[in-house]
Amino acid sequence: MLLCRVSPVYQMLARWGRRSQQGGLLLSRAVSCTSSRLRAASSGEGNAQPADPASTQALYRDTVLLPQTEFPMKLAGQKLVERELQIQQECGFADLYSWQRERKAKKEFCLHDGPPYANGDPHVGHALNKILKDIRNRFEVLRGRQVHYIPGWDCHGLPIELKALGELGTSGLSPLEIRQKAREFAEGAIARQKAAFQRWGVMANWEQCYYTFDGAYEAAQLKLFQEMHNKGLVYQDYKPVFWSPSSRTALAEAELEYNPEHVSRAIYATFPLATLPPKIASENGLENVSVLIWTTQPWTIPANQAVCYMPNAQYSVVKRADTSQLLLLAAERTASLAALLGTELQTVATFTGLQLEGGICKHPTIPDKQIPLLPANHVTMGKGTGLVHTAPAHGMDDYSVASQFDLPVECMVDEDGKFTELAGPELQNLSVFTEGTQRVISTLQESGALVLEEQCVHSYPYDWRTKQPVVIRPSKQWFINTASLKHKAKEALQKVRVLPESARGSLLAMLDRRTYWCISRQRSWGVPIPVFYHKETGEPLINTYTVSHIAKLFKEKGSDCWWELPIEALLPPEVLKKSKAGPVSDYVRGDDVLDIWFDSGASWAAVLEEDMEEEPKEPESRLSWLPGSLRKPLVPESDPRADVYVEGKDQLGGWFQSSLLTSVAVRNKAPFKSLVVHGFAISEKGEKMSKSLGNVVDPDEVINGTKDGSLAAYGADVLRWWVAESNVFSEVQIGPSVLNSARDSISKLRNTLRFLLGNLQGFDPRQHAVDPKEMYYIDQYMLHMLREYSMKVTDAYSEFDAGRVIRILQAFITRELSSFYFSIIKDRLYCSPEDSLGRRSCQTALEEILDGVTRSVAPILPHLAEEVYLHAPGHDADTLFKSGWIKSSSVWRRPGLEEAVEGACAIRDSFLSSIPGKNAGQYDLTIAIEAGLLFELMESLQEEPSSTSSQLAELMMAARVNLTSELPRDLPPGALLSQGTFLINLEGGVIREESPYSIAVTPTSAARCPRCRRYTSESTDCLCPRCQNVVSHAG
């Protein structure tokens, strides 16, 4: 990369230019001069003669072509907010999505929107997600693809129901009354969120979104449910599930959050051995041995049905030194337990787990109940005693053991998390978490079974909505057999690209933990499970005919009809006949609704696919609720997958997984080609946002400012820059410092764009553009660099790496433009004749740079980009987003030219290093290069042996450049000498040449021209030859 410095002379020139009043065009604003000056200037002989200082100063000022533009240098506060809204209106933000959907395009890009939850106001997490998606979508529109993006909302579920009902609760309300209040609440949240997304500049047809409470969506969801049921993947069973006493409903894994600071009352308790295992019965001294277990959930002891051991582990009978009690536990846990008990444990006998087979224990709290010792693979040695108390009703692994050994599954806990009558009168109606646990521990202590109690801080599942702990209890629920889908899901994921790749492991780990998926919920606000139960037998009635009929009703009337219509309408005679069922009077409709993760997980079927009916009789699709232009399937039939799903990392166990499992179940493929997993928005201090901490950032206040003025109005583009600049694959910080930095970065970019616009005053690329081959080499070089820049930016956008786009942009502006090109060309722009080849060449490059930079930043800053586009010259299209991506040409690629300019820059670095802190324009530079490639390259920049106006002189920013094969022998005594080398690398390394050069730097004898401020004049009050020519034509 070029390492160049801004010369002090051009900093001075810029200051001089700012002090000068903004003049008009050269020819129209020239001021009259004295006849002697005009005669002298037009004669072409020598420099102009001095004249009256005041009049000549006015003439010079009006012949300098300073930047002119109406593009404002700065917008802030309410003016910025109003300007963004004006841009959205003038540039058709609301119509852009529909326009691009109707145009012809060779390629399509489908980003399927994960539905945000309709239960609250928009927050910065929404902003992070929606803006990240929009940046990619706008990029795809610019490069000519047809984007398919239909925003959606997840509208059902307990959080909405709870918020809608508030303190009223569900008591005394019918399901339809509850549903009506929940729907109204969800619709209000959707309206607020939708307005915010539009204000952020998110491109979509906001009149055509998908909602999971829409009848057509619900019908598509039921058809997916039907297909999975037909394949035997959906079934009803009585087994343990996560149950939320605070919500009174079953929960899926994705509805849990784990509290790492949960405190349990852990206990060590004994189960006396009633019958020794046959393989160790002959051992001496094993009378009165007790099996020692450890559990963090003492309330499950009454439901115990077995104690499990690890078959291949070593177990020991140990004797307590303090009480002589004999305990059976894992050999490797002996030392830690001895330390915990504060007594020595003497080993009496040791044997393998296999030798424990056939042992029988006495239950510690239920007299006369005996329980077996059983082998199990889930036993671990990390904590406890290596012997696991097993209650099949209250543990997933425990239930697996019960299934294998045909143990009873007795549930002693009700829906409120209290003990039932089955637990006995002493425990009945006690909460298992509080009084119930205390009572069980007391009972163990009274029976002599309690060895030790301790406080255990560990991770424990909580209801993600109520933030209360859950229990595991058996319940008759509907399940999806995910165990049979795991292998297919993992195979499908191998064909999916995951960003970042590290997220793939988390997704696979969550899949492994999920043995089954409970999809039934005991609530009112959701999609009813289309099942009927026989009044006497309780047998479910559910098949293709019943589900198809209900789906058709839902599509026509919405799912409220499940409660509104009589059962005779839900189960008409023809459906009963096809189902070979009895009279309708034998059945009642079910009360459960589907898990909201199944709702949203079905979105690919409801939004991305054609109707899944086997023999559709008409071209109607499940997207019939969309307009014609959107109704066709959003992805080609040959590959009905979205290009990408983009959501936060919490969806690894949520929407990503539910979508994957449902799609694999019916199509044997993932619904996405790529997954992009982003982090969460957190405070600047790295804390989770919380109202109690006062660190919540409201995106509306970011854009519009606060009413009390404590936060300035930043506008939507600052919010978008924050998203783009962040490393979205980790946690994303936001706060005043971050926002101020984003605002300052945009302000610097704005000033660069303003400089470009100002220097394009009077330039129309359709009339004035110079052919690339005729342009100055330095200008051609900048087009070459612009092409390289555009390729890097395109690659970064394609990788969902907008942060890299910003880094590339800022490096290009700082190094290639501000510190290098702009500092070199100001003299040519301001002081050369308006229509000269050199100036038009420069303007041609500037126009391409302006266009390229503006388009490159447009996906991130659409408001600023469209504002620049309105001021930029030579556009035919109405808006930037209708005019395509960066128009870089292969003609711009000039590797030989690149070597020439960068070779000159290497020499310039040597020159500037020899005069640190000095004005380069006050020195003459002699460059000596032996005959060879480097000399030829420098000759292309300066044909004459000596010049003050060559492209090489411009690059060096010196008063005069002499190009020779060797340094002259008569150099002044004070000449500064320096040497260096430059490696020429052409044709991909085929041509390589290490070229030495020498330079001599001497103060120039020329005077400073009063017009251009360059040291190229014969005397201080006379013009240089170039300025003579310009001024002579000013009149």
Side-chain angles (χ1 to χ4, degrees):
M1 199 45 79
L2 298 173
L3 300 173
C4 306
R5 299 172 177 80
V6 182
S7 172
V9 70
Y10 286 95
Q11 294 176 346
M12 180 207 68
L13 180 61
R15 290 195 298 271
W16 170 73
R18 286 194 295 271
R19 286 197 302 269
S20 301
Q21 296 179 8
Q22 294 291 318
L25 293 179
L26 170 64
L27 298 179
S28 61
R29 296 292 303 276
V31 179
S32 302
C33 305
T34 61
S35 57
S36 62
R37 169 168 295 283
L38 290 176
R39 281 195 301 273
S42 61
S43 67
E45 298 175 3
N47 285 349
Q49 300 299 313
D52 178 63
S55 61
T56 56
Q57 183 62 39
L59 176 62
Y60 300 157
R61 181 187 65 217
D62 287 348
T63 61
V64 173
L65 300 170
L66 296 176
Q68 285 185 298
T69 179
E70 295 180 358
F71 183 78
M73 179 183 296
K74 184 178 181 181
L75 283 176
Q78 192 58 34
K79 287 185 178 180
L80 171 62
V81 174
E82 291 173 358
R83 183 56 175 155
E84 285 190 342
L85 291 172
Q86 184 182 6
I87 290 291
Q88 288 190 1
Q89 186 70 29
E90 288 182 10
C91 299
F93 274 42
D95 303 323
L96 179 60
Y97 182 82
S98 297
W99 170 82
Q100 63 89 30
R101 287 285 291 143
E102 292 168 1
R103 69 175 175 175
K104 292 182 179 180
K106 293 181 180 179
K107 292 185 178 181
E108 297 181 339
F109 177 79
C110 175
L111 193 160
H112 183 41
D113 190 38
Y117 206 51
N119 72 328
D121 293 328
H123 50 72
V124 288
H126 288 128
L128 175 61
N129 179 260
K130 294 298 179 183
I131 291 172
L132 182 61
K133 293 173 181 175
D134 189 62
I135 289 172
R136 180 59 182 267
N137 281 340
R138 285 182 175 273
F139 165 67
E140 297 293 347
V141 167
L142 279 169
R143 65 170 178 170
R145 293 187 176 180
Q146 191 176 70
V147 169
H148 301 283
Y149 173 73
I150 297 181
W153 272 269
D154 197 354
C155 311
H156 291 132
L158 185 61
I160 293 172
E161 187 176 319
L162 293 177
K163 283 194 174 183
L165 299 177
E167 297 179 357
L168 293 175
T170 58
S171 119
L173 295 178
S174 69
L176 284 173
E177 289 173 327
I178 293 171
R179 289 172 66 84
Q180 178 61 29
K181 290 182 178 295
R183 177 180 285 271
E184 290 173 357
F185 181 88
E187 288 174 341
I190 289 169
R192 295 192 300 275
Q193 291 181 19
K194 185 186 292 187
F197 300 164
Q198 290 175 267
R199 178 62 186 90
W200 302 342
V202 177
M203 177 190 67
N205 184 340
W206 294 104
E207 300 303 316
Q208 301 296 340
C209 303
Y210 77 88
Y211 311 97
T212 60
F213 62 25
D214 182 272
Y217 186 101
E218 293 171 327
Q221 183 178 336
L222 287 195
K223 289 177 181 177
L224 174 61
F225 175 86
Q226 172 191 320
E227 285 206 11
M228 296 179 69
H229 183 268
N230 290 347
K231 292 187 174 187
L233 296 169
V234 176
Y235 63 98
Q236 190 182 39
D237 200 358
Y238 180 78
K239 64 171 66 178
V241 296
F242 290 108
W243 184 273
S244 172
S246 55
S247 297
R248 289 177 58 86
T249 187
L251 299 177
E253 177 77 32
E255 296 171 295
L256 303 174
E257 59 183 24
Y258 285 81
N259 178 5
E261 303 300 325
H262 179 82
V263 180
S264 291
R265 297 177 67 179
I267 62 167
Y268 288 85
T270 56
F271 285 61
L273 268 173
T275 302
L276 283 172
K279 294 179 181 179
I280 64 171
S282 60
E283 296 278 344
N284 294 323
L286 298 185
E287 298 80 12
N288 300 318
V289 175
S290 292
V291 171
L292 185 65
I293 65 93
W294 174 78
T295 179
T296 61
Q297 306 301 313
W299 61 267
T300 61
I301 293 289
N304 177 278
Q305 300 293 344
V307 174
C308 292
Y309 58 85
M310 184 186 293
N312 298 323
Q314 293 290 310
Y315 287 86
S316 296
V317 172
V318 298
K319 184 177 181 180
R320 291 185 61 160
D322 55 351
T323 64
S324 298
Q325 185 181 23
L326 295 178
L327 301 174
L328 173 64
L329 70 156
E332 67 179 85
R333 299 299 302 162
T334 302
S336 60
L337 185 64
L340 193 63
L341 295 177
T343 186
E344 183 182 349
L345 297 178
Q346 179 184 353
T347 301
V348 176
T350 300
F351 27 78
T352 66
L354 290 172
Q355 293 175 277
L356 297 178
E357 184 181 359
I360 302 294
C361 299
K362 294 178 182 179
H363 196 289
T365 65
I366 303 175
D368 303 325
K369 181 173 181 177
Q370 294 188 333
I371 59 171
L373 288 175
L374 297 174
N377 294 325
H378 71 276
V379 179
T380 62
M381 298 294 169
K383 290 183 179 179
T385 67
L387 291 159
V388 177
H389 139 67
T390 301
H394 304 297
M396 307 304 187
D397 293 324
D398 308 50
Y399 178 78
S400 297
V401 172
S403 300
Q404 182 180 353
F405 293 99
D406 197 24
L407 301 177
V409 181
E410 297 178 348
C411 181
M412 299 182 179
V413 180
D414 66 14
E415 295 178 349
D416 293 314
K418 295 180 179 180
F419 280 115
T420 65
E421 183 181 1
L422 191 61
E426 290 188 350
L427 292 174
Q428 187 177 359
N429 295 325
L430 297 181
S431 169
V432 299
F433 286 123
T434 53
E435 309 104 306
T437 291
Q438 177 58 48
R439 186 67 199 128
V440 170
I441 293 175
S442 297
T443 301
L444 289 168
Q445 192 168 20
E446 291 165 5
S447 67
L450 183 67
V451 174
L452 182 71
E453 179 186 348
E454 62 180 357
Q455 296 287 301
C456 178
V457 179
H458 63 120
S459 181
Y460 190 83
Y462 276 53
D463 184 331
W464 70 322
R465 305 168 181 112
T466 63
K467 311 302 180 184
Q468 296 298 313
V470 302
V471 296
I472 295 176
R473 63 183 289 272
S475 177
K476 201 165 189 178
Q477 303 286 348
W478 288 91
F479 298 91
I480 290 176
N481 183 5
T482 52
S484 64
L485 295 173
K486 282 184 185 178
H487 181 67
K488 289 182 180 179
K490 290 179 180 179
E491 283 188 341
L493 277 177
Q494 290 179 359
K495 301 175 183 177
V496 174
R497 187 179 185 209
V498 181
L499 289 175
E501 180 61 30
S502 58
R504 186 188 301 274
S506 300
L507 181 55
L508 291 171
M510 291 180 182
L511 270 175
D512 279 332
R513 290 203 302 265
R514 197 169 201 168
T515 53
Y516 49 81
W517 174 8
C518 178
I519 60 169
S520 50
R521 298 291 181 271
Q522 290 66 55
R523 307 302 302 184
S524 298
W525 181 229
V527 178
I529 295 179
V531 61
F532 303 88
Y533 297 97
H534 196 277
K535 291 179 180 178
E536 294 183 5
T537 66
E539 283 298 308
L541 174 62
I542 179 171
N543 55 50
T544 300
Y545 310 111
T546 59
V547 177
S548 294
H549 178 68
I550 299 302
K552 184 177 180 181
L553 289 175
F554 282 12
K555 189 171 185 178
E556 294 173 358
K557 305 175 183 296
S559 58
D560 280 355
C561 72
W562 183 255
W563 290 272
E564 291 171 339
L565 296 178
I567 194 169
E568 291 79 8
L570 301 176
L571 269 180
E574 61 272 18
V575 172
L576 286 169
K577 183 178 179 181
K578 291 178 181 178
S579 303
K580 297 179 181 180
V584 69
S585 58
D586 288 349
Y587 293 94
V588 293
R589 73 196 90 195
D591 295 326
D592 294 345
V593 298
L594 284 165
D595 173 21
I596 58 170
W597 292 110
F598 191 85
D599 282 16
S600 59
S603 62
W604 62 265
V607 180
L608 299 184
E609 275 210 328
E610 288 270 51
D611 200 318
M612 291 195 299
E613 292 181 17
E614 293 180 5
E615 295 180 1
K617 297 181 180 179
E618 53 185 274
E620 179 184 12
S621 79
R622 59 177 53 168
L623 296 178
S624 58
W625 46 287
L626 295 175
S629 63
L630 299 178
R631 195 175 299 161
K632 61 184 179 180
L634 297 188
V635 287
E637 293 181 9
S638 59
D639 189 4
R641 298 182 297 164
D643 285 288
V644 67
Y645 278 29
V646 183
E647 299 301 328
K649 62 183 181 182
D650 56 327
Q651 298 307 315
L652 289 170
W655 187 58
F656 289 155
Q657 195 175 127
S658 63
S659 299
L660 174 66
L661 291 171
T662 53
S663 180
V664 166
V666 300
R667 304 190 304 176
N668 292 320
K669 63 177 68 177
F672 36 71
K673 300 175 186 175
S674 300
L675 283 180
V676 174
V677 187
H678 63 74
F680 297 144
I682 57 175
S683 74
E684 284 185 327
K685 296 181 180 179
E687 301 168 328
K688 184 178 179 181
M689 290 193 185
S690 168
K691 290 182 179 179
S692 61
L693 294 175
N695 61 2
V696 175
V697 177
D698 184 345
D700 179 68
E701 292 182 348
V702 170
I703 293 174
N704 299 306
T706 54
K707 294 179 181 178
D708 62 4
S710 59
L711 189 67
Y714 289 99
D717 272 356
V718 164
L719 196 63
R720 295 178 67 97
W721 183 277
W722 160 69
V723 173
E725 190 176 29
S726 302
N727 177 11
V728 296
F729 300 132
S730 63
E731 309 298 37
V732 181
Q733 295 183 338
I734 185 171
S737 298
V738 173
L739 294 171
N740 286 337
S741 175
R743 179 191 59 197
D744 294 345
S745 295
I746 295 175
S747 179
K748 291 176 183 177
L749 172 61
R750 187 180 187 90
N751 284 335
T752 298
L753 296 170
R754 187 173 185 271
F755 175 85
L756 290 163
L757 285 168
N759 283 292
L760 291 173
Q761 172 71 22
F763 178 80
D764 186 338
R766 293 165 295 192
Q767 299 178 23
H768 303 131
V770 177
D771 186 282
K773 295 178 182 178
E774 298 177 7
M775 292 171 67
Y776 275 31
Y777 287 145
I778 183 61
D779 302 328
Q780 292 185 47
Y781 171 75
M782 289 310 300
L783 294 185
H784 172 86
M785 296 303 293
L786 178 62
R787 183 175 183 273
E788 296 290 315
Y789 164 79
S790 70
M791 291 169 65
K792 292 177 184 177
V793 165
T794 302
D795 288 344
Y797 274 124
S798 300
E799 295 292 319
F800 261 96
D801 197 348
R804 181 150 55 100
V805 172
I806 288 181
R807 292 192 295 275
I808 294 168
L809 167 75
Q810 291 178 325
F812 182 70
I813 288 176
T814 301
R815 293 200 287 263
E816 271 66 56
L817 297 183
S818 298
S819 297
F820 175 60
Y821 189 56
F822 288 172
S823 65
I824 291 169
I825 61 170
K826 286 178 181 176
D827 175 72
R828 188 165 21 130
L829 278 173
Y830 299 166
C831 298
S832 292
E834 180 180 23
D835 206 29
S836 63
L837 174 63
R839 190 168 185 274
R840 291 305 190 198
S841 170
C842 183
Q843 286 183 309
T844 301
L846 291 179
E847 194 275 332
E848 295 288 4
I849 291 169
L850 172 67
D851 192 69
V853 169
T854 305
R855 291 180 195 279
S856 71
V857 80
I860 299 170
L861 306 176
H863 302 89
L864 176 61
E866 290 288 15
E867 184 184 10
V868 171
Y869 190 83
L870 290 173
H871 288 82
H875 294 309
D876 297 320
D878 297 334
T879 72
L880 182 146
F881 281 95
K882 294 182 180 180
S883 60
W885 187 230
I886 306 172
K887 301 174 180 65
S888 65
S889 170
S890 59
V891 176
W892 296 354
R893 185 176 181 275
R894 301 291 299 278
L897 179 63
E898 181 181 17
E899 292 296 303
V901 175
E902 294 197 353
C905 286
I907 297 172
R908 190 176 86 144
D909 284 344
S910 298
F911 166 43
L912 295 176
S913 297
S914 67
I915 52 167
K918 301 293 181 62
N919 183 350
Q922 295 179 344
Y923 292 87
D924 290 342
L925 173 65
T926 300
I927 304 171
I929 308 172
E930 294 181 3
L933 281 177
L934 184 60
F935 188 86
E936 293 176 13
L937 289 174
M938 292 307 102
E939 271 195 321
S940 68
L941 297 171
Q942 178 172 305
E943 295 179 0
E944 309 89 345
S946 180
S947 177
T948 61
S949 59
S950 68
Q951 296 180 54
L952 187 58
E954 180 183 54
L955 241 169
M956 297 298 160
M957 300 171 70
R960 176 179 294 277
V961 172
N962 304 306
L963 183 60
T964 179
S965 58
E966 59 180 357
L967 292 178
R969 297 178 181 178
D970 56 346
L971 286 171
L976 302 172
L977 303 179
S978 181
Q979 294 179 335
T981 60
F982 179 73
L983 176 63
I984 296 173
N985 190 339
L986 294 171
E987 304 295 334
V990 175
I991 302 175
R992 290 173 63 86
E993 184 175 296
E994 185 87 23
S995 301
Y997 61 84
S998 301
I999 62 170
V1001 180
T1002 56
T1004 185
S1005 59
R1008 191 179 75 162
C1009 172
R1011 178 175 177 270
C1012 69
R1013 300 321 201 233
R1014 286 193 64 208
Y1015 286 82
T1016 52
S1017 181
E1018 289 189 3
S1019 62
T1020 56
D1021 55 355
C1022 293
L1023 299 175
C1024 67
R1026 188 266 308 266
C1027 290
Q1028 285 183 51
N1029 181 53
V1030 174
V1031 171
S1032 67
H1033 292 87

